[in-house]
Amino acid sequence: MKDKIPQSNGLAQHIRLRAMYLVAGIILAMAALAGCGVNSVDVPGEKQPHQNANSWRVVDNFEQPDALAQWYIRDVDNQTSPYIAQPQVATIVSEAGCCRHYLKKAAQDGVTGNRKALSYRALPTAVKVGQVSTLFLRINVEAFPNNHSFGLSNLHPVQIDTANYDAFEPMLRITDKPESDGSINNGTLMVSTGHKNYARIGGAENGQADPLVPGTWYAIWVVINNRPAQAGGQTFDVYMRGGEFSHQQKVYSGGLFRMQRAQPLGYFITIANTGPAEAPYGNGGVRYDEIYLSAGINLALPAEVKAPL
């Protein structure tokens, strides 16, 4: 019996040690899983802005020789008289000592009646329903008077041509045209606040912003929430730098998608409009450059953007 007691105690001690190691392993594994859980929820850009100059994907910087080859260019409401088959100006322009950019006008100078001049191209990756992404671009107003809009669409090419203005979801607008209710715009950047509704952005001193200055480049960050409306999505915020904005500033919170279809956003889209032939309201152009897309709320300047703002 005396020989068996130590063996029994040793076996019991061995079992206890193995149990302790097992429990410790389980605790460590649970801690690791908990840590992974925190990281998977706290993704940069989902809740807090992040600054990552290298996480941008180019939509178009217009530096390729065939820069417009990937663009759909359509005149879907051409009321020109005498009739011109393709009246809009969609061309690449070189800026001395800097870069190439895309100039968009509803029609050639002196031509009226081109009501819906569309240009659009596919994004490098779609913004899925439930995702938050940031669109970056630079714009420069060639001249007023004009009527231009730009943003993202969740329709496909044939649908975009048919829907035209209603192809937009997040939508920004540049115009100084009079409205049908008698009000007159003044060239201040505007954002969509629902279907056919717009609001002007705020200014550098937290008041109303100044009209965009022709010949001045502005950098724009559009933070796009493509979650369903019931989850607080179908909205967007806008940040700007350039002109009166000497540093990046949030200029609008809570813009509303135009249609709120809650579908993947797959196209960058622009539209220009000369107004009706009997009452034209202008054909000044807008220059576009350095169009990029990033996951999350990314307020950095894309690393590849070298042009002055």
Side-chain angles (χ1 to χ4, degrees), residues 91-214:
T91 187
I92 302 300
V93 178
S94 295
E95 186 174 339
C98 176
C99 49
R100 286 153 44 104
H101 53 262
Y102 170 42
L103 173 65
K104 171 67 176 288
K105 300 176 68 170
Q108 303 164 30
D109 291 338
V111 174
T112 62
N114 197 27
R115 302 303 310 279
K116 296 163 186 173
L118 283 164
S119 298
Y120 53 93
R121 69 156 295 164
L123 299 175
T125 183
V127 181
K128 297 178 182 178
V129 176
Q131 290 184 330
V132 174
S133 293
T134 304
L135 174 72
F136 173 86
L137 73 160
R138 299 193 311 134
I139 63 166
N140 182 314
V141 174
E142 179 202 41
F144 288 108
N146 67 35
N147 184 18
H148 289 260
S149 297
F150 61 92
L152 298 185
S153 176
N154 51 22
L155 300 183
H156 297 290
V158 173
Q159 298 169 314
I160 290 173
D161 292 349
T162 301
N164 48 82
Y165 279 101
D166 287 346
F168 283 90
E169 291 293 0
M171 180 181 187
L172 294 91
R173 186 187 193 202
I174 304 166
T175 188
D176 57 344
K177 82 175 190 74
E179 302 290 0
S180 56
D181 63 2
S183 61
I184 299 177
N185 300 301
N186 66 354
T188 301
L189 184 67
M190 306 170 79
V191 303
S192 168
T193 56
H195 188 244
K196 297 186 178 181
N197 292 313
Y198 308 92
R200 296 177 185 176
I201 63 169
E205 303 300 327
N206 297 318
Q208 184 174 300
D210 296 333
L212 296 173
V213 178

